[in-house]
Amino acid sequence: MPAPHVYTEATLATMQPDAGDYGLIPDAALVTEGAHIAWLGPMADLPKQYASVGITPLAGRLITPAFIDCHTHIVHGGNRALEFEMRLQGASYEEVARAGGGIVSTVTATRDTSEADLLAAALTRADALIAEGVSTIEIKSGYGLDIETELKMLRTARQIAAHRPVRVSTSFLGAHAVPKGGDADTYIDEVCLPALKAAHAEGLVDMVDGFCEGIAFDVPQITRVFDAAHALGLPVKLHAEQLSNIGGTELAAKYNARSADHVEYATEADARALAAAGTVAVLLPGAFYTLHETQKPPVAAFRAHGVPMALATDWNPGSSPLGSLLLSMNMGCTLFGLTPAEALAGTTRHAAAALGLTDSGTLTAGQRADLAIWNVSSPAELSYGIGINPLHARIFAGQAT
Ligand code: DI6
Ligand code: FE
């Protein structure tokens, strides 16, 4: 049995459900044993057996569950600064996509980048997230659009966890865009579904995602992808209602998706469907901001119907070149009207649910000891700062990293 370690003089934001906004415990201690949390509570209640083991006093600092970025595209080649300039001159995201830019241009760059170079670039992005207390990163494919490159992206994503103290959850996003000159239905049959089967056979797929949108795939096409996912025993999630409402959220709920992401154009009926299915709404303010979107996700309806809301970076080279989960929390509050407590739940407990993780996302005895220790005295400070990183230390599976 590894020796326990005790963090004392801490404030804990446990983020446990039904424990009030943050599940705050002031003047607290937290004990890790190996990779897990063994005990937490008020200092005054610290069991005697932990009084004489390794102790780190935290001088009142805040401990939260380590962050989980539950929606990223950090494995990709190239960048789209040129497209950024085009959009600043007035071209819309859809116009850029239809002109052969957009996702398809990143596809060319990703195909042309070696696995080693893809990994090197993705590791620098993972490092930026880790530096903000992130312990778990969801990473999607979707910039290959051929079997070989989709597999290359997923292998690269898996490699990140071998090179850094971080967990990676992979999503197969073959249904991200139709390759240049291709037909959507033919692409699904001849590339997307065979790629999914091959990637699953290699153990590269944790979840299956799609982009349900006018410029991408419609409900019947995503339905075929979801049916294939379920036939393989894989859970699904969906980019839904980002630029328009074409029924993606309803479809996601019907397939008991772990999450429906973006959802700016979701309706009250969609919120009801998500709640009934236990599907998490993943809000992505980085894309909203970058695209000058004005339609906000229906946060009031999500609250009213009890839809859990997560927040993520959507880090991608086009619509959300955002490498900071802390900034996405600030944007979630400032742009979407989340409370700082909702924002923190969105990058911890609800982000875990969006990935189907039951072993992290709160400070609870028995959960993984994935912790973030912050130089702040109140949890609202995490959402309040803009471009400020108050991380003091990150604990990954019980180890300071
Ligand atoms: N929605 C997004 O915001 C990203 N993918 C998607 O389906 C955008 C990806 C890109 O522009 O490269
Ligand atoms: Fe995305």
Side-chain angles (χ1 to χ4, degrees):
M1 209 51 197
H5 193 91
V6 187
Y7 298 89
T8 59
E9 298 170 38
T11 301
L12 307 181
T14 68
M15 304 314 290
Q16 287 176 9
D18 311 317
D21 271 357
Y22 299 102
L24 220 56
I25 309 179
D27 303 317
L30 182 146
V31 183
T32 65
E33 226 170 87
H36 295 92
I37 297 171
W39 185 89
L40 58 100
M43 293 254 284
D45 298 346
L46 183 69
K48 294 251 176 318
Q49 78 232 50
Y50 297 129
S52 53
V53 299
I55 288 181
T56 302
L58 290 177
R61 289 188 179 89
L62 178 75
I63 306 183
T64 67
F67 283 179
I68 296 169
D69 194 348
C70 67
H71 181 140
T72 86
H73 307 248
I74 64 167
V75 173
H76 60 259
N79 72 68
R80 304 235 292 276
L82 213 67
E83 175 182 324
F84 176 61
E85 290 183 305
M86 272 176 76
R87 278 191 282 105
L88 284 171
Q89 283 159 17
S92 74
Y93 184 66
E94 277 162 297
E95 282 162 358
V96 169
R98 290 192 197 282
I103 293 176
V104 170
S105 73
T106 298
V107 170
T108 306
T110 304
R111 287 178 181 173
D112 291 347
T113 304
S114 71
E115 199 166 315
D117 288 349
L118 272 185
L119 177 61
L123 284 174
T124 66
R125 298 181 192 118
D127 286 339
L129 296 173
I130 289 169
E132 286 191 347
V134 168
S135 65
T136 304
I137 308 174
E138 186 264 9
I139 304 175
K140 303 174 194 300
S141 69
Y143 289 122
L145 311 186
D146 63 32
I147 298 177
E148 183 194 341
T149 314
E150 287 295 305
L151 291 172
K152 179 172 76 173
M153 289 185 72
L154 293 168
R155 283 190 206 113
T156 303
R158 283 275 190 255
Q159 277 298 309
I160 291 171
H163 286 78
R164 293 291 187 274
V166 75
R167 280 207 294 181
V168 168
S169 242
T170 57
S171 295
F172 174 81
L173 180 56
H176 193 198
V178 183
K180 217 174 181 162
D183 165 75
D185 283 299
T186 312
Y187 169 77
I188 298 247
D189 287 331
E190 295 181 0
V191 180
C192 181
L193 298 181
L196 170 57
K197 286 190 191 99
H200 174 66
E202 258 191 60
L204 296 174
V205 186
D206 297 326
M207 296 164 289
V208 174
D209 197 350
F211 188 19
C212 190
E213 192 59 61
I215 56 168
F217 298 93
D218 62 18
V219 166
Q221 288 157 351
I222 296 290
T223 299
R224 290 201 286 133
V225 177
F226 280 5
D227 283 337
H230 278 190
L232 295 171
L234 293 168
V236 301
K237 56 193 8 294
L238 191 62
H239 288 68
E241 266 70 84
Q242 177 185 7
L243 309 169
S244 59
N245 190 310
I246 64 163
T249 309
E250 209 182 300
L251 178 71
K254 188 170 145 199
Y255 278 76
N256 286 106
R258 287 200 170 143
S259 66
D261 302 40
H262 290 285
V263 292
E264 277 89 338
Y265 287 82
T267 61
E268 171 117 29
D270 290 329
R272 230 178 271 122
L274 292 178
T279 299
V280 177
V282 177
L283 310 186
L284 304 167
F288 174 92
Y289 167 85
T290 301
L291 302 180
H292 297 262
E293 181 58 72
T294 52
Q295 173 83 24
K296 297 183 187 188
V299 165
F302 291 152
R303 277 189 196 122
H305 295 286
V307 178
M309 290 179 279
L311 273 171
T313 60
D314 193 14
W315 193 345
N316 75 66
S319 67
S320 189
L322 169 62
S324 167
L325 200 51
L326 281 166
L327 186 50
S328 79
M329 289 166 67
N330 173 271
M331 288 175 156
C333 295
T334 305
L335 300 175
F336 294 162
L338 297 190
T339 67
E342 286 172 329
L344 186 56
T347 54
T348 58
R349 185 173 80 244
H350 296 324
L355 301 183
L357 302 175
T358 53
D359 62 354
S360 56
T362 69
L363 302 181
T364 304
Q367 279 212 335
R368 280 172 61 96
D370 289 346
L371 318 173
I373 305 174
W374 305 94
N375 287 316
V376 303
S377 49
S378 78
E381 289 176 57
L382 298 175
S383 293
Y384 152 79
I386 303 173
I388 297 166
N389 179 4
L391 189 75
H392 169 72
R394 191 190 75 130
I395 311 296
F396 181 74
Q399 300 292 316
T401 53

